[in-house]
Amino acid sequence: MTLNLLWTSADSLVAAFALSVLVPWRHALPLALMFGLCDGLGSALGVSLPFAGGLGAMLLMASGAALLVGLPIAQRLLTAPGWLYVLPPLLAIDNVVSRTSDLPALAALASAIMAGLGFASGAIVLNWWRAGLRDARPPAAACLIAAGSLLAWGG
């Protein structure tokens, strides 16, 4: 396992942590598996598209910013959990654009584990923080912006 593999899976950890604050628990396992599947497929493709990582990072940071400032589109997206399933393919862009010697199955496993850890730690923090947390959107938005920044910096 290379450092690049851990780097390209770290965005799944951060995004899953952010999503754990926003989504019902029943979406955690399908999303974690989808993070792994998309990162594995992205690693298997391994094409060279230099602009794709920047596009994915910008979309992630824009969605975090929209959530943070409370734009109406962010409010509508929060009521429809289907938009969450767009994030795993979006976050797999870094796996597509970075050529690695790791097996795609290893990339899928690492990403699914990282996403699972993100959902679990987010649930723990949410339960610990629940008493004083009135609005979960700011921490979730900050995590989405962090995931986009991680994708931009690593890509």
Side-chain angles (χ1 to χ4, degrees), residues 22 60-78 135-145:
L22 297 173
L60 253 181
M61 289 187 282
S63 64
L67 186 62
L68 187 62
V69 297
L71 291 178
I73 190 165
Q75 299 301 325
R76 281 182 271 167
L77 289 176
L78 284 176
D135 189 7
R137 289 175 302 170
C143 287
L144 286 173
I145 292 170

Side-chain angles (χ1 to χ4, degrees), residues 3 13-14 22-23 26-27 37 39 53 70-71 73 82 95 113-114 121 130 132 137 149 153:
L3 186 59
L13 173 81
V14 176
L22 297 173
V23 300
R26 69 180 182 274
H27 291 283
L37 177 68
D39 275 4
L71 291 178
I73 190 165
N95 292 79
I113 289 171
M114 291 282 227
S121 60
R130 179 82 61 187
R137 289 175 302 170
S149 301
W153 190 52

Side-chain angles (χ1 to χ4, degrees), residues 41-72:
L41 289 174
S43 292
L45 288 175
V47 296
S48 205
L49 299 171
F51 65 88
L55 176 64
M58 286 188 308
L59 288 173
L60 253 181
M61 289 187 282
S63 64
L67 186 62
L68 187 62
V69 297
L71 291 178

Side-chain angles (χ1 to χ4, degrees), residues 4 7 11 19 32 44 46 64 86 89-90 92-93 99-100 106-107 120 135 138 141:
N4 187 40
W7 184 258
D11 55 356
L19 293 177
V86 173
L90 180 65
I93 289 174
R99 291 200 179 264
T100 143
L106 193 56
D135 189 7

Side-chain angles (χ1 to χ4, degrees), residues 89-108:
L90 180 65
L91 290 177
I93 289 174
D94 61 343
N95 292 79
V96 173
V97 298
S98 68
R99 291 200 179 264
T100 143
S101 59
D102 295 313
L103 296 172
L106 193 56

